[in-house]
Amino acid sequence: MPKSTIRFTSFPRTEPPPDFVPRLITAFRSCESAISTEKLDKGLTSDGVLPELSPALVELGFEVERGKHKADRIERPVARVPHPPS
C-alpha cells in the first residue's frame, strides 16, 4: 500500500484527538486517489472534492451539503454580536 499523503493535526495539541478522528482519516484515505493534489494534474475545488468524500462522511454520521442551491445547503444559525458604538 502506498504511503498516504493525508496529514492532520488536532487542537489543543496537548490533548489526544477526539475519538472520531481515526474514522475521519480513514474516510479521507478511502477517497485519497480521487482528491489528492499530489496525484492529479490539477487540484479539485471544494465542489469537486465534496461528491467524492460525502458518501464516506454521511456513513460516519455527518450532515453534508448536497449543492449550492438553498434547498441543498445546511442552515446553521449564526449569533450576531453587536459592535460597541464608535
Side-chain angles (χ1 to χ4, degrees):
M1 176 195 241
K3 185 176 178 183
S4 175
T5 60
I6 304 282
R7 302 288 179 264
F8 77 96
T9 190
S10 66
F11 294 92
R13 290 185 177 171
T14 56
E15 301 290 328
D19 292 338
F20 70 88
V21 170
R23 293 186 310 274
L24 185 61
I25 297 302
T26 298
F28 273 85
R29 285 189 175 145
S30 73
C31 301
E32 187 171 5
S33 64
I35 65 175
S36 174
T37 58
E38 290 188 5
K39 297 177 182 175
L40 298 174
D41 291 335
K42 184 174 188 234
L44 299 175
T45 64
S46 60
D47 289 338
V49 171
L50 192 57
E52 298 291 336
L53 191 56
S54 63
L57 295 177
V58 169
E59 188 174 314
L60 291 174
F62 286 91
E63 287 182 78
V64 180
E65 290 187 350
R66 295 184 314 263
K68 298 283 186 183
H69 295 95
K70 186 172 177 77
D72 296 333
R73 293 188 301 214
I74 299 171
E75 295 293 327
R76 295 286 186 246
V78 177
R80 302 204 183 262
V81 178
H83 293 283
S86 302

